[in-house]
PDB file of all heavy atoms in Angstrom:
ATOM      1  N   GLU A   1     -12.416 257.370 145.222  1.00 96.00           N
ATOM      2  CA  GLU A   1     -11.637 256.906 144.075  1.00 96.00           C
ATOM      3  C   GLU A   1     -10.253 257.543 144.107  1.00 96.00           C
ATOM      4  O   GLU A   1     -10.110 258.738 144.383  1.00 96.00           O
ATOM      5  CB  GLU A   1     -12.339 257.259 142.754  1.00 96.00           C
ATOM      6  CG  GLU A   1     -11.609 256.725 141.528  1.00 96.00           C
ATOM      7  CD  GLU A   1     -12.262 257.123 140.208  1.00 96.00           C
ATOM      8  OE1 GLU A   1     -13.298 257.823 140.240  1.00 96.00           O
ATOM      9  OE2 GLU A   1     -11.728 256.751 139.154  1.00 96.00           O
ATOM     10  N   ASP A   2      -9.261 256.747 143.787  1.00 95.00           N
ATOM     11  CA  ASP A   2      -7.866 257.193 143.809  1.00 95.00           C
ATOM     12  C   ASP A   2      -7.531 257.888 142.492  1.00 95.00           C
ATOM     13  O   ASP A   2      -6.755 257.376 141.684  1.00 95.00           O
ATOM     14  CB  ASP A   2      -6.973 255.972 144.032  1.00 95.00           C
ATOM     15  CG  ASP A   2      -5.566 256.360 144.474  1.00 95.00           C
ATOM     16  OD1 ASP A   2      -5.318 257.559 144.634  1.00 95.00           O
ATOM     17  OD2 ASP A   2      -4.738 255.455 144.650  1.00 95.00           O
ATOM     18  N   THR A   3      -8.116 259.062 142.283  1.00 95.00           N
ATOM     19  CA  THR A   3      -7.901 259.787 141.028  1.00 95.00           C
ATOM     20  C   THR A   3      -6.514 260.418 141.010  1.00 95.00           C
ATOM     21  O   THR A   3      -5.949 260.736 142.056  1.00 95.00           O
ATOM     22  CB  THR A   3      -8.972 260.879 140.845  1.00 95.00           C
ATOM     23  OG1 THR A   3      -9.034 261.657 142.047  1.00 95.00           O
ATOM     24  CG2 THR A   3     -10.333 260.276 140.571  1.00 95.00           C
ATOM     25  N   PRO A   4      -5.933 260.635 139.828  1.00 95.00           N
ATOM     26  CA  PRO A   4      -4.579 261.204 139.745  1.00 95.00           C
ATOM     27  C   PRO A   4      -4.506 262.617 140.317  1.00 95.00           C
ATOM     28  O   PRO A   4      -5.429 263.421 140.128  1.00 95.00           O
ATOM     29  CB  PRO A   4      -4.295 261.214 138.239  1.00 95.00           C
ATOM     30  CG  PRO A   4      -5.262 260.256 137.630  1.00 95.00           C
ATOM     31  CD  PRO A   4      -6.471 260.293 138.496  1.00 95.00           C
ATOM     32  N   ILE A   5      -3.407 262.893 141.026  1.00 96.00           N
ATOM     33  CA  ILE A   5      -3.155 264.239 141.530  1.00 96.00           C
ATOM     34  C   ILE A   5      -2.439 265.023 140.446  1.00 96.00           C
ATOM     35  O   ILE A   5      -1.441 264.568 139.894  1.00 96.00           O
ATOM     36  CB  ILE A   5      -2.298 264.187 142.808  1.00 96.00           C
ATOM     37  CG1 ILE A   5      -3.077 263.535 143.957  1.00 96.00           C
ATOM     38  CG2 ILE A   5      -1.835 265.587 143.213  1.00 96.00           C
ATOM     39  CD1 ILE A   5      -2.251 263.288 145.197  1.00 96.00           C
ATOM     40  N   ARG A   6      -2.963 266.188 140.134  1.00 96.00           N
ATOM     41  CA  ARG A   6      -2.282 267.103 139.216  1.00 96.00           C
ATOM     42  C   ARG A   6      -1.826 268.317 140.007  1.00 96.00           C
ATOM     43  O   ARG A   6      -2.568 268.834 140.847  1.00 96.00           O
ATOM     44  CB  ARG A   6      -3.220 267.527 138.079  1.00 96.00           C
ATOM     45  CG  ARG A   6      -3.600 266.363 137.170  1.00 96.00           C
ATOM     46  CD  ARG A   6      -4.330 266.852 135.942  1.00 96.00           C
ATOM     47  NE  ARG A   6      -4.811 265.746 135.130  1.00 96.00           N
ATOM     48  CZ  ARG A   6      -5.569 265.903 134.048  1.00 96.00           C
ATOM     49  NH1 ARG A   6      -5.938 267.113 133.665  1.00 96.00           N
ATOM     50  NH2 ARG A   6      -5.974 264.847 133.365  1.00 96.00           N
ATOM     51  N   PHE A   7      -0.630 268.791 139.725  1.00 95.00           N
ATOM     52  CA  PHE A   7      -0.062 269.893 140.497  1.00 95.00           C
ATOM     53  C   PHE A   7      -0.789 271.208 140.214  1.00 95.00           C
ATOM     54  O   PHE A   7      -1.086 271.521 139.063  1.00 95.00           O
ATOM     55  CB  PHE A   7       1.425 270.043 140.198  1.00 95.00           C
ATOM     56  CG  PHE A   7       2.235 268.833 140.579  1.00 95.00           C
ATOM     57  CD1 PHE A   7       3.036 268.177 139.646  1.00 95.00           C
ATOM     58  CD2 PHE A   7       2.190 268.336 141.874  1.00 95.00           C
ATOM     59  CE1 PHE A   7       3.780 267.059 140.001  1.00 95.00           C
ATOM     60  CE2 PHE A   7       2.930 267.216 142.237  1.00 95.00           C
ATOM     61  CZ  PHE A   7       3.721 266.577 141.298  1.00 95.00           C
ATOM     62  N   GLY A   8      -1.050 271.950 141.297  1.00 92.00           N
ATOM     63  CA  GLY A   8      -1.621 273.288 141.147  1.00 92.00           C
ATOM     64  C   GLY A   8      -3.120 273.328 140.961  1.00 92.00           C
ATOM     65  O   GLY A   8      -3.660 274.364 140.602  1.00 92.00           O
ATOM     66  N   THR A   9      -3.812 272.205 141.221  1.00 96.00           N
ATOM     67  CA  THR A   9      -5.268 272.201 141.072  1.00 96.00           C
ATOM     68  C   THR A   9      -5.914 271.463 142.238  1.00 96.00           C
ATOM     69  O   THR A   9      -5.445 270.388 142.631  1.00 96.00           O
ATOM     70  CB  THR A   9      -5.716 271.537 139.751  1.00 96.00           C
ATOM     71  OG1 THR A   9      -7.129 271.234 139.825  1.00 96.00           O
ATOM     72  CG2 THR A   9      -4.972 270.258 139.467  1.00 96.00           C
ATOM     73  N   PRO A  10      -6.995 272.018 142.799  1.00 97.00           N
ATOM     74  CA  PRO A  10      -7.755 271.303 143.828  1.00 97.00           C
ATOM     75  C   PRO A  10      -8.738 270.301 143.246  1.00 97.00           C
ATOM     76  O   PRO A  10      -9.611 269.795 143.958  1.00 97.00           O
ATOM     77  CB  PRO A  10      -8.473 272.432 144.575  1.00 97.00           C
ATOM     78  CG  PRO A  10      -8.636 273.509 143.565  1.00 97.00           C
ATOM     79  CD  PRO A  10      -7.456 273.405 142.636  1.00 97.00           C
ATOM     80  N   ALA A  11      -8.620 270.025 141.982  1.00 97.00           N
ATOM     81  CA  ALA A  11      -9.327 268.917 141.312  1.00 97.00           C
ATOM     82  C   ALA A  11     -10.815 269.156 141.110  1.00 97.00           C
ATOM     83  O   ALA A  11     -11.199 270.095 140.420  1.00 97.00           O
ATOM     84  CB  ALA A  11      -9.039 267.593 142.016  1.00 97.00           C
ATOM     85  N   PHE A  12     -11.654 268.321 141.735  1.00 98.00           N
ATOM     86  CA  PHE A  12     -13.054 268.209 141.328  1.00 98.00           C
ATOM     87  C   PHE A  12     -14.020 268.801 142.360  1.00 98.00           C
ATOM     88  O   PHE A  12     -13.703 268.859 143.544  1.00 98.00           O
ATOM     89  CB  PHE A  12     -13.424 266.733 141.129  1.00 98.00           C
ATOM     90  CG  PHE A  12     -12.410 265.955 140.353  1.00 98.00           C
ATOM     91  CD1 PHE A  12     -11.661 264.953 140.956  1.00 98.00           C
ATOM     92  CD2 PHE A  12     -12.190 266.228 139.007  1.00 98.00           C
ATOM     93  CE1 PHE A  12     -10.708 264.230 140.245  1.00 98.00           C
ATOM     94  CE2 PHE A  12     -11.241 265.511 138.290  1.00 98.00           C
ATOM     95  CZ  PHE A  12     -10.497 264.516 138.906  1.00 98.00           C
ATOM     96  N   PRO A  13     -15.227 269.157 141.903  1.00 98.00           N
ATOM     97  CA  PRO A  13     -16.256 269.554 142.869  1.00 98.00           C
ATOM     98  C   PRO A  13     -16.510 268.425 143.865  1.00 98.00           C
ATOM     99  O   PRO A  13     -16.599 267.253 143.494  1.00 98.00           O
ATOM    100  CB  PRO A  13     -17.487 269.805 141.998  1.00 98.00           C
ATOM    101  CG  PRO A  13     -16.939 270.133 140.651  1.00 98.00           C
ATOM    102  CD  PRO A  13     -15.706 269.297 140.504  1.00 98.00           C
ATOM    103  N   VAL A  14     -16.613 268.783 145.117  1.00 98.00           N
ATOM    104  CA  VAL A  14     -16.881 267.807 146.163  1.00 98.00           C
ATOM    105  C   VAL A  14     -18.366 267.443 146.154  1.00 98.00           C
ATOM    106  O   VAL A  14     -19.220 268.276 145.824  1.00 98.00           O
ATOM    107  CB  VAL A  14     -16.441 268.374 147.530  1.00 98.00           C
ATOM    108  CG1 VAL A  14     -17.023 267.577 148.696  1.00 98.00           C
ATOM    109  CG2 VAL A  14     -14.918 268.413 147.613  1.00 98.00           C
ATOM    110  N   PHE A  15     -18.661 266.196 146.513  1.00 98.00           N
ATOM    111  CA  PHE A  15     -20.037 265.724 146.584  1.00 98.00           C
ATOM    112  C   PHE A  15     -20.927 266.722 147.344  1.00 98.00           C
ATOM    113  O   PHE A  15     -20.528 267.270 148.356  1.00 98.00           O
ATOM    114  CB  PHE A  15     -20.096 264.344 147.248  1.00 98.00           C
ATOM    115  CG  PHE A  15     -19.352 264.235 148.557  1.00 98.00           C
ATOM    116  CD1 PHE A  15     -19.984 264.468 149.765  1.00 98.00           C
ATOM    117  CD2 PHE A  15     -18.004 263.892 148.574  1.00 98.00           C
ATOM    118  CE1 PHE A  15     -19.302 264.372 150.969  1.00 98.00           C
ATOM    119  CE2 PHE A  15     -17.304 263.792 149.780  1.00 98.00           C
ATOM    120  CZ  PHE A  15     -17.962 264.038 150.981  1.00 98.00           C
ATOM    121  N   GLY A  16     -22.102 266.947 146.798  1.00 98.00           N
ATOM    122  CA  GLY A  16     -23.053 267.874 147.419  1.00 98.00           C
ATOM    123  C   GLY A  16     -23.011 269.276 146.860  1.00 98.00           C
ATOM    124  O   GLY A  16     -23.990 270.014 146.969  1.00 98.00           O
ATOM    125  N   TYR A  17     -21.882 269.651 146.259  1.00 98.00           N
ATOM    126  CA  TYR A  17     -21.746 271.007 145.705  1.00 98.00           C
ATOM    127  C   TYR A  17     -22.015 270.976 144.200  1.00 98.00           C
ATOM    128  O   TYR A  17     -21.218 270.418 143.435  1.00 98.00           O
ATOM    129  CB  TYR A  17     -20.329 271.548 145.927  1.00 98.00           C
ATOM    130  CG  TYR A  17     -20.001 271.896 147.346  1.00 98.00           C
ATOM    131  CD1 TYR A  17     -19.369 270.966 148.181  1.00 98.00           C
ATOM    132  CD2 TYR A  17     -20.295 273.154 147.871  1.00 98.00           C
ATOM    133  CE1 TYR A  17     -19.046 271.277 149.492  1.00 98.00           C
ATOM    134  CE2 TYR A  17     -19.971 273.471 149.189  1.00 98.00           C
ATOM    135  CZ  TYR A  17     -19.353 272.527 149.987  1.00 98.00           C
ATOM    136  OH  TYR A  17     -19.024 272.845 151.288  1.00 98.00           O
ATOM    137  N   ASN A  18     -23.107 271.579 143.780  1.00 98.00           N
ATOM    138  CA  ASN A  18     -23.405 271.706 142.349  1.00 98.00           C
ATOM    139  C   ASN A  18     -22.621 272.908 141.839  1.00 98.00           C
ATOM    140  O   ASN A  18     -23.176 273.984 141.579  1.00 98.00           O
ATOM    141  CB  ASN A  18     -24.904 271.874 142.137  1.00 98.00           C
ATOM    142  CG  ASN A  18     -25.302 271.735 140.677  1.00 98.00           C
ATOM    143  OD1 ASN A  18     -24.457 271.494 139.809  1.00 98.00           O
ATOM    144  ND2 ASN A  18     -26.577 271.903 140.392  1.00 98.00           N
ATOM    145  N   LEU A  19     -21.308 272.715 141.732  1.00 98.00           N
ATOM    146  CA  LEU A  19     -20.366 273.803 141.464  1.00 98.00           C
ATOM    147  C   LEU A  19     -20.144 273.952 139.961  1.00 98.00           C
ATOM    148  O   LEU A  19     -19.928 272.964 139.255  1.00 98.00           O
ATOM    149  CB  LEU A  19     -19.057 273.517 142.184  1.00 98.00           C
ATOM    150  CG  LEU A  19     -17.963 274.575 142.127  1.00 98.00           C
ATOM    151  CD1 LEU A  19     -17.176 274.591 143.451  1.00 98.00           C
ATOM    152  CD2 LEU A  19     -16.991 274.331 140.972  1.00 98.00           C
ATOM    153  N   LYS A  20     -20.197 275.194 139.510  1.00 98.00           N
ATOM    154  CA  LYS A  20     -19.994 275.495 138.092  1.00 98.00           C
ATOM    155  C   LYS A  20     -19.172 276.776 137.960  1.00 98.00           C
ATOM    156  O   LYS A  20     -19.049 277.554 138.906  1.00 98.00           O
ATOM    157  CB  LYS A  20     -21.345 275.682 137.382  1.00 98.00           C
ATOM    158  CG  LYS A  20     -22.277 274.466 137.459  1.00 98.00           C
ATOM    159  CD  LYS A  20     -23.616 274.753 136.785  1.00 98.00           C
ATOM    160  CE  LYS A  20     -24.589 273.590 136.968  1.00 98.00           C
ATOM    161  NZ  LYS A  20     -24.146 272.377 136.274  1.00 98.00           N
ATOM    162  N   ILE A  21     -18.623 276.976 136.768  1.00 98.00           N
ATOM    163  CA  ILE A  21     -17.902 278.216 136.446  1.00 98.00           C
ATOM    164  C   ILE A  21     -18.830 279.063 135.575  1.00 98.00           C
ATOM    165  O   ILE A  21     -19.306 278.603 134.534  1.00 98.00           O
ATOM    166  CB  ILE A  21     -16.587 277.944 135.695  1.00 98.00           C
ATOM    167  CG1 ILE A  21     -15.749 276.876 136.411  1.00 98.00           C
ATOM    168  CG2 ILE A  21     -15.797 279.230 135.516  1.00 98.00           C
ATOM    169  CD1 ILE A  21     -15.136 277.299 137.701  1.00 98.00           C
ATOM    170  N   PHE A  22     -19.090 280.301 136.017  1.00 97.00           N
ATOM    171  CA  PHE A  22     -20.076 281.144 135.349  1.00 97.00           C
ATOM    172  C   PHE A  22     -19.439 282.357 134.681  1.00 97.00           C
ATOM    173  O   PHE A  22     -18.517 282.967 135.226  1.00 97.00           O
ATOM    174  CB  PHE A  22     -21.111 281.651 136.367  1.00 97.00           C
ATOM    175  CG  PHE A  22     -21.999 280.583 136.926  1.00 97.00           C
ATOM    176  CD1 PHE A  22     -21.668 279.929 138.115  1.00 97.00           C
ATOM    177  CD2 PHE A  22     -23.171 280.218 136.275  1.00 97.00           C
ATOM    178  CE1 PHE A  22     -22.486 278.945 138.641  1.00 97.00           C
ATOM    179  CE2 PHE A  22     -24.000 279.236 136.793  1.00 97.00           C
ATOM    180  CZ  PHE A  22     -23.656 278.590 137.974  1.00 97.00           C
ATOM    181  N   ARG A  23     -20.001 282.697 133.524  1.00 93.00           N
ATOM    182  CA  ARG A  23     -19.669 283.984 132.906  1.00 93.00           C
ATOM    183  C   ARG A  23     -20.389 285.091 133.686  1.00 93.00           C
ATOM    184  O   ARG A  23     -21.299 284.821 134.471  1.00 93.00           O
ATOM    185  CB  ARG A  23     -20.117 284.015 131.443  1.00 93.00           C
ATOM    186  CG  ARG A  23     -19.467 282.945 130.572  1.00 93.00           C
ATOM    187  CD  ARG A  23     -19.858 283.138 129.103  1.00 93.00           C
ATOM    188  NE  ARG A  23     -19.315 282.053 128.279  1.00 93.00           N
ATOM    189  CZ  ARG A  23     -20.006 280.994 127.857  1.00 93.00           C
ATOM    190  NH1 ARG A  23     -21.306 280.876 128.182  1.00 93.00           N
ATOM    191  NH2 ARG A  23     -19.442 280.058 127.134  1.00 93.00           N
ATOM    192  N   GLU A  24     -20.007 286.323 133.404  1.00 89.00           N
ATOM    193  CA  GLU A  24     -20.593 287.430 134.161  1.00 89.00           C
ATOM    194  C   GLU A  24     -22.046 287.712 133.779  1.00 89.00           C
ATOM    195  O   GLU A  24     -22.711 288.495 134.448  1.00 89.00           O
ATOM    196  CB  GLU A  24     -19.722 288.679 134.016  1.00 89.00           C
ATOM    197  CG  GLU A  24     -18.388 288.515 134.744  1.00 89.00           C
ATOM    198  CD  GLU A  24     -17.501 289.742 134.666  1.00 89.00           C
ATOM    199  OE1 GLU A  24     -17.755 290.689 135.432  1.00 89.00           O
ATOM    200  OE2 GLU A  24     -16.582 289.750 133.836  1.00 89.00           O
ATOM    201  N   ASP A  25     -22.538 287.051 132.740  1.00 91.00           N
ATOM    202  CA  ASP A  25     -23.955 287.190 132.405  1.00 91.00           C
ATOM    203  C   ASP A  25     -24.798 286.054 132.983  1.00 91.00           C
ATOM    204  O   ASP A  25     -26.005 285.975 132.736  1.00 91.00           O
ATOM    205  CB  ASP A  25     -24.152 287.259 130.881  1.00 91.00           C
ATOM    206  CG  ASP A  25     -23.731 285.967 130.165  1.00 91.00           C
ATOM    207  OD1 ASP A  25     -23.312 285.012 130.858  1.00 91.00           O
ATOM    208  OD2 ASP A  25     -23.824 285.921 128.927  1.00 91.00           O
ATOM    209  N   GLY A  26     -24.170 285.164 133.750  1.00 94.00           N
ATOM    210  CA  GLY A  26     -24.898 284.079 134.392  1.00 94.00           C
ATOM    211  C   GLY A  26     -24.897 282.784 133.614  1.00 94.00           C
ATOM    212  O   GLY A  26     -25.374 281.757 134.108  1.00 94.00           O
ATOM    213  N   SER A  27     -24.379 282.783 132.399  1.00 95.00           N
ATOM    214  CA  SER A  27     -24.302 281.541 131.619  1.00 95.00           C
ATOM    215  C   SER A  27     -23.078 280.747 132.062  1.00 95.00           C
ATOM    216  O   SER A  27     -22.133 281.288 132.637  1.00 95.00           O
ATOM    217  CB  SER A  27     -24.240 281.836 130.120  1.00 95.00           C
ATOM    218  OG  SER A  27     -23.120 282.652 129.811  1.00 95.00           O
ATOM    219  N   GLU A  28     -23.099 279.446 131.766  1.00 96.00           N
ATOM    220  CA  GLU A  28     -22.023 278.576 132.217  1.00 96.00           C
ATOM    221  C   GLU A  28     -20.858 278.601 131.234  1.00 96.00           C
ATOM    222  O   GLU A  28     -21.050 278.564 130.018  1.00 96.00           O
ATOM    223  CB  GLU A  28     -22.542 277.141 132.382  1.00 96.00           C
ATOM    224  CG  GLU A  28     -21.592 276.253 133.151  1.00 96.00           C
ATOM    225  CD  GLU A  28     -22.156 274.859 133.397  1.00 96.00           C
ATOM    226  OE1 GLU A  28     -23.384 274.672 133.273  1.00 96.00           O
ATOM    227  OE2 GLU A  28     -21.346 273.955 133.696  1.00 96.00           O
ATOM    228  N   CYS A  29     -19.647 278.672 131.776  1.00 97.00           N
ATOM    229  CA  CYS A  29     -18.436 278.716 130.948  1.00 97.00           C
ATOM    230  C   CYS A  29     -18.161 277.358 130.296  1.00 97.00           C
ATOM    231  O   CYS A  29     -18.529 276.303 130.820  1.00 97.00           O
ATOM    232  CB  CYS A  29     -17.219 279.092 131.800  1.00 97.00           C
ATOM    233  SG  CYS A  29     -17.193 280.796 132.361  1.00 97.00           S
ATOM    234  N   ASP A  30     -17.500 277.413 129.173  1.00 97.00           N
ATOM    235  CA  ASP A  30     -16.987 276.207 128.543  1.00 97.00           C
ATOM    236  C   ASP A  30     -15.683 275.800 129.227  1.00 97.00           C
ATOM    237  O   ASP A  30     -15.119 276.564 130.033  1.00 97.00           O
ATOM    238  CB  ASP A  30     -16.723 276.449 127.050  1.00 97.00           C
ATOM    239  CG  ASP A  30     -18.015 276.736 126.290  1.00 97.00           C
ATOM    240  OD1 ASP A  30     -19.053 276.148 126.648  1.00 97.00           O
ATOM    241  OD2 ASP A  30     -17.969 277.565 125.356  1.00 97.00           O
ATOM    242  N   ALA A  31     -15.169 274.635 128.894  1.00 97.00           N
ATOM    243  CA  ALA A  31     -13.870 274.201 129.414  1.00 97.00           C
ATOM    244  C   ALA A  31     -12.793 275.205 129.013  1.00 97.00           C
ATOM    245  O   ALA A  31     -12.838 275.785 127.918  1.00 97.00           O
ATOM    246  CB  ALA A  31     -13.528 272.820 128.870  1.00 97.00           C
ATOM    247  N   ASN A  32     -11.861 275.449 129.933  1.00 96.00           N
ATOM    248  CA  ASN A  32     -10.721 276.360 129.717  1.00 96.00           C
ATOM    249  C   ASN A  32     -11.133 277.816 129.529  1.00 96.00           C
ATOM    250  O   ASN A  32     -10.363 278.613 128.998  1.00 96.00           O
ATOM    251  CB  ASN A  32      -9.873 275.894 128.529  1.00 96.00           C
ATOM    252  CG  ASN A  32      -9.303 274.513 128.750  1.00 96.00           C
ATOM    253  OD1 ASN A  32      -8.708 274.239 129.787  1.00 96.00           O
ATOM    254  ND2 ASN A  32      -9.524 273.613 127.787  1.00 96.00           N
ATOM    255  N   GLU A  33     -12.315 278.160 129.994  1.00 95.00           N
ATOM    256  CA  GLU A  33     -12.783 279.549 129.926  1.00 95.00           C
ATOM    257  C   GLU A  33     -12.890 280.084 131.351  1.00 95.00           C
ATOM    258  O   GLU A  33     -13.543 279.488 132.204  1.00 95.00           O
ATOM    259  CB  GLU A  33     -14.143 279.614 129.231  1.00 95.00           C
ATOM    260  CG  GLU A  33     -14.692 281.031 129.092  1.00 95.00           C
ATOM    261  CD  GLU A  33     -16.082 281.066 128.462  1.00 95.00           C
ATOM    262  OE1 GLU A  33     -16.605 279.992 128.081  1.00 95.00           O
ATOM    263  OE2 GLU A  33     -16.656 282.171 128.370  1.00 95.00           O
ATOM    264  N   LYS A  34     -12.232 281.202 131.609  1.00 92.00           N
ATOM    265  CA  LYS A  34     -12.215 281.770 132.954  1.00 92.00           C
ATOM    266  C   LYS A  34     -13.563 282.374 133.323  1.00 92.00           C
ATOM    267  O   LYS A  34     -14.177 283.081 132.526  1.00 92.00           O
ATOM    268  CB  LYS A  34     -11.124 282.844 133.052  1.00 92.00           C
ATOM    269  CG  LYS A  34     -10.981 283.430 134.462  1.00 92.00           C
ATOM    270  CD  LYS A  34      -9.732 284.266 134.603  1.00 92.00           C
ATOM    271  CE  LYS A  34      -9.872 285.601 133.903  1.00 92.00           C
ATOM    272  NZ  LYS A  34      -8.707 286.467 134.145  1.00 92.00           N
ATOM    273  N   GLY A  35     -14.016 282.079 134.530  1.00 95.00           N
ATOM    274  CA  GLY A  35     -15.262 282.647 135.020  1.00 95.00           C
ATOM    275  C   GLY A  35     -15.292 282.661 136.533  1.00 95.00           C
ATOM    276  O   GLY A  35     -14.269 282.441 137.202  1.00 95.00           O
ATOM    277  N   ILE A  36     -16.471 282.900 137.077  1.00 95.00           N
ATOM    278  CA  ILE A  36     -16.649 283.003 138.525  1.00 95.00           C
ATOM    279  C   ILE A  36     -17.104 281.646 139.067  1.00 95.00           C
ATOM    280  O   ILE A  36     -18.032 281.039 138.540  1.00 95.00           O
ATOM    281  CB  ILE A  36     -17.685 284.094 138.867  1.00 95.00           C
ATOM    282  CG1 ILE A  36     -17.196 285.452 138.332  1.00 95.00           C
ATOM    283  CG2 ILE A  36     -17.919 284.169 140.372  1.00 95.00           C
ATOM    284  CD1 ILE A  36     -18.285 286.496 138.232  1.00 95.00           C
TER     285      ILE A  36
END
């Protein structure tokens, strides 16, 4: 899909990667929340 390019971001998780942003306690971060 020809999704819009936004500057300074590698965009979306690639197919096959169940990628998430995690807090340091192992829970999943909300949008705009920094994590691992």
